[in-house]
Structure formats: C-alpha cells, structure tokens
Amino acid sequence: MTARVAHTTVDCHDAYALSQWWKGVLDYVDLDGDPNLPGHQECMIVSRDGGHRLLFIEVPEGKSGKNRLHLDLEPVQGSRDDELARLLAHGATEVSDHRGQYGPGTGWVVLADPEGNEFCILRNAAERGDA
C-alpha cells in the first residue's frame, strides 16, 4: 500500500487573501464549482493541470519560528533572478540570499509570503545545466 499527497495545507490568518496572492505566484486557479470568496476560512487553489493543490486554512495563532516544510519554486520562464524580481514586486519579502555560495551562478533565495510563510526560488533547469 502507498499514499499520495492530496494537497499541501498552509495555516494562515486570511485564507482568501493568501490564496489570491499565491494564485499570482503560481498561476493556480480556484477549483471548478468552488470559488474562493472573502471571508471563507478555507480556500483551495489548484495548478492548471490539476496536478497540485494548495489549501489555505485560517488558524488563530501566528507563525512562530522557521517553517518545517516549505515550497521550492523554479521559474517556468526566465531566470531565477528574473523570477526573484517578479516575486518581490508581487509582495514577497527576502529572508536570505544563498546565490553564489557554491560557485558562480549557483544557489537560491529564501522568500516569505505576506503572512511570513517561507519558500525558496531556485535556478531553472537551463541555469542548472539540466535542460
């Protein structure tokens, strides 16, 4: 027997606002027939191919400490640094910069969403030499 990941859940204070923010980051959409609306305590978004879902659930407590689980993102188009600029303009906050630590052109940047949930932006496949 095995299990599969049904979705990734993010605790937050404002499920609607954070789901909208992440839709802009990932180009995800609301579930068909289940639109997210202001005031909803649970909001789910899904990748356009249906392969991944993110569920935002409102909780009373704030984030405390470093995330034990986070998303690693890579650009679909453009470079890591292009995507970094886009995400910062979208409202992400830079937490730490690890670019170039393992040689020229290497590394990642740790960012936080508007509620402080951390995620990383990596180099794309071409930048890593995987393409």
Side-chain angles (χ1 to χ4, degrees):
M1 295 179 66
T2 62
R4 68 178 181 85
V5 176
H7 54 266
T8 305
T9 301
V10 178
D11 291 347
C12 58
H13 285 293
D14 187 336
Y16 174 74
L18 203 55
S19 72
Q20 297 304 298
W21 191 84
W22 276 98
K23 281 171 37 177
V25 170
L26 298 171
D27 192 33
Y28 279 26
V29 296
D30 290 339
L31 293 172
D32 284 340
D34 187 19
N36 297 318
L37 298 171
H40 282 185
Q41 294 181 353
E42 296 184 6
C43 294
M44 185 175 287
I45 59 175
V46 61
S47 61
R48 291 186 182 273
D49 67 3
H52 183 249
R53 297 175 182 199
L54 279 175
L55 175 63
F56 300 88
I57 296 180
E58 292 184 3
V59 297
E61 64 275 357
K63 179 181 177 286
S64 61
K66 184 181 183 310
N67 293 13
R68 295 295 302 260
L69 177 73
H70 68 267
L71 302 176
D72 284 339
L73 308 181
E74 69 178 4
V76 174
Q77 298 176 340
S79 70
R80 172 201 56 211
D81 293 345
D82 294 337
E83 186 65 3
L84 173 62
R86 184 185 79 85
L87 294 172
L88 292 171
H90 185 63
T93 303
E94 185 174 314
V95 175
S96 59
D97 189 339
H98 301 273
R99 291 178 286 181
Q101 288 186 346
Y102 304 102
T106 64
W108 64 94
V109 180
V110 180
L111 300 171
D113 70 17
E115 290 204 16
N117 300 299
E118 295 171 12
F119 63 100
C120 295
I121 185 66
L122 313 174
R123 295 174 299 145
N124 65 29
E127 290 175 296
R128 292 189 312 269
D130 297 346

